[in-house]
Amino acid sequence: MLVNFVRSALALTLARDTRAVTAIEYALIAALIAVVIIAAVTTLGTNVSGTFNTVASEL
């Protein structure tokens, strides 16, 4: 009887607490945005470096 009460109380507590799930979702979104930014900056840096090398060789 006590075991069933503890199980049901625990289940209700976990069902009501959605803050952790939301925090994990926001963390995943932030990580995805960071990966996209890193990829864009790396690509842009490579392209700019190539452009500067071309200009330097023309001078």
Side-chain angles (χ1 to χ4, degrees):
M1 179 101 170
L2 182 61
V3 173
N4 290 336
F5 176 74
V6 171
R7 283 184 188 165
S8 63
L10 183 61
L12 286 175
T13 302
L14 292 176
R16 283 189 221 144
D17 190 17
T18 58
R19 290 174 292 175
V21 175
T22 304
I24 291 171
E25 289 171 352
Y26 283 132
L28 289 173
I29 291 169
L32 179 63
I33 291 170
V35 167
V36 169
I37 290 172
I38 290 169
V41 168
T42 302
T43 303
L44 182 63
T46 303
N47 291 340
V48 169
S49 176
T51 302
F52 277 125
N53 288 334
T54 302
V55 170
S57 66
E58 293 293 324
L59 294 175

